[in-house]
Each structure stands twice: as structure tokens, then as C-alpha cells.
Amino acid sequence: MTTRPSASTASARPRRTQAERRAATRGALLDATIDVLVERGYAGLTTTAVCERAGVTRGAQAHYFATKGDLVVQALSHLTDRLVDELVSKPLNIADGPVEQYAVLLNRLWEIFSGSVSWAQLELFTAARTDEDLRRHLVQFDHAVMKTLDDGARRVAPQLADRPEFSSAMTTAISTIRGLQMLRAVASDRSVRRAWPPARDQLLSGLPIEPH
């Protein structure tokens, strides 16, 4: 015979705090924004569609994000931060020597900017040319994400990061990776991925590290 949980058992379940509910609502909106952005593009993205996907009200969305530009850039930042967390969760000491470690780091950066991130960036960077509000948000995002990526790289590759040329090398690497990912607008995913190994080799040769 199946018994139902007693009222005392049900009431003993911990309830989410208001802060936890707010965080869950905000996270649902950000995840839904990326999904709608990838599916419909920036021009086809509406806050109504995002709210429907997230299962929240328009009032809740307006409470957290004042404009469409703020919403989509915060969503991109949210996704990037999550992927950077994955970057720093795995140390680079699985590779022997600085050259090999730098190669692993470059491959991880490539994966960060693949998938949803690449499509979202393509949509937003293109739209920002004629949308001043979006452009302003993206400028702030770009400064923040570059710092986040640099900090993440320093956490997983401190010896590499101590080199004076490392910051400029990171900027060049991320710019190269972003540029290749933007080719997804006119080329197949297979051809874009095929272009990465030779580009990575050039990036490796540009950092003056003696082989191990």
C-alpha cells in the first residue's frame, strides 16, 4: 500500500529564500534569451518570446532588465562566465611544458567561443553597428569578458601568465578565435573547425616560449 507523505513531512521541506527565487528567475530569463537569440536572431528576439520561454511574466523581466540590449548582453555574459568556470575547473598541468600548456589553453578558449556563444556574438556584434544602446552595452561586456578570460587563464596557467607578453598574446588569440567563429555566417561548421589547427599553430609560434 502506497502512503502519502504526511503534512509534517511536506512542511519540513526547505523553502527557497527570496534571494534564491530571484536568482532562479534571473537565470531562467538569461538562458531563455540565449535560446531565442540563437533561434531567431537579434532582430527576431522579443522580450515576450523570452518570457514565454522562461515561464515568467513581463513584469518580472522588466524588473531585472530595463532594455532589450541590457537583457541580451547580460545573457551573453552569463553564458560566457559559465564557460569560463569550466575553463578554470581543469588545471593545465595535464600537459608537459609551457608550449603544450599554451596549446591546451588555446583549445579551451576555442571551445568557449564555439556553439551558442559564437552565434550570439555574431548576432549582437552585427546588430550593434546600427544600435547605439546595444553597442554601449557590448563595449562594457567586451572589457569585462577580456578581463574575466585573462583572470581565468592566470588561474590555470600562472607560469605562462607571468610572462610579460602573455596579455597581448591572449588578446591576439581571442581576436583570432572570434574572427574564425564569425565565419559561421558564411561557412560550414566543419570548415570553420578545420581552419582552427593551423591558426592555433600560428598563435603558438607567436609566443616566444622555448619548447620543453
Side-chain angles (χ1 to χ4, degrees):
M1 178 178 176
T2 302
T3 59
R4 296 182 181 180
S6 65
S8 59
T9 301
S11 62
R13 294 173 183 171
R15 294 183 178 181
R16 292 190 301 176
T17 65
Q18 186 176 27
E20 289 172 336
R21 291 194 297 272
R22 288 175 176 173
T25 298
R26 187 175 186 276
L29 282 166
L30 295 175
D31 289 338
T33 299
I34 292 295
D35 291 341
V36 176
L37 180 63
V38 171
E39 290 176 7
R40 303 187 182 185
Y42 183 73
L45 182 146
T46 64
T47 53
T48 298
V50 170
C51 291
E52 290 176 353
R53 179 69 62 92
V56 303
T57 65
R58 288 288 303 278
Q61 173 266 312
H63 174 75
Y64 291 103
F65 307 102
T67 66
K68 176 181 173 180
D70 182 36
L71 173 62
V72 294
V73 173
Q74 289 291 335
L76 180 56
S77 179
H78 169 72
L79 176 58
T80 304
D81 287 347
R82 191 168 65 201
L83 294 172
V84 171
D85 286 342
E86 295 178 13
L87 165 72
V88 301
S89 68
K90 304 172 185 176
L92 297 188
N93 57 15
I94 57 173
D96 295 327
V99 174
E100 293 82 0
Q101 289 181 8
Y102 189 48
V104 173
L105 176 61
L106 289 176
N107 282 330
R108 289 187 186 174
L109 291 172
W110 171 260
E111 293 304 321
I112 284 175
F113 285 101
S114 298
S116 296
V117 169
S118 69
W119 286 116
Q121 284 194 155
L122 176 61
E123 289 292 335
L124 298 184
F125 278 66
T126 301
R129 189 180 70 84
T130 55
D131 188 322
E132 180 60 29
D133 179 64
L134 178 60
R135 190 190 72 80
R136 184 169 58 254
H137 285 298
L138 275 178
V139 168
Q140 295 173 355
F141 162 79
D142 208 45
H143 287 309
V145 78
M146 291 297 291
K147 185 179 186 306
T148 298
L149 288 169
D150 187 69
D151 290 345
R154 291 179 184 279
R155 288 172 60 185
V156 298
Q159 293 181 343
L160 288 174
D162 286 341
R163 297 174 179 271
E165 68 276 10
F166 184 73
S167 290
S168 61
M170 277 284 291
T171 299
T172 301
I174 293 169
S175 297
T176 300
I177 291 170
R178 278 178 163 176
L180 286 175
Q181 295 289 4
M182 291 295 182
L183 290 176
R184 291 173 183 271
V186 294
S188 67
D189 179 74
R190 182 178 179 182
S191 64
V192 172
R193 288 190 172 274
R194 196 163 51 228
W196 169 235
R200 180 195 57 213
D201 291 345
Q202 291 185 33
L203 291 169
L204 283 170
S205 65
L207 190 68
I209 300 176
E210 292 297 326
H212 177 66

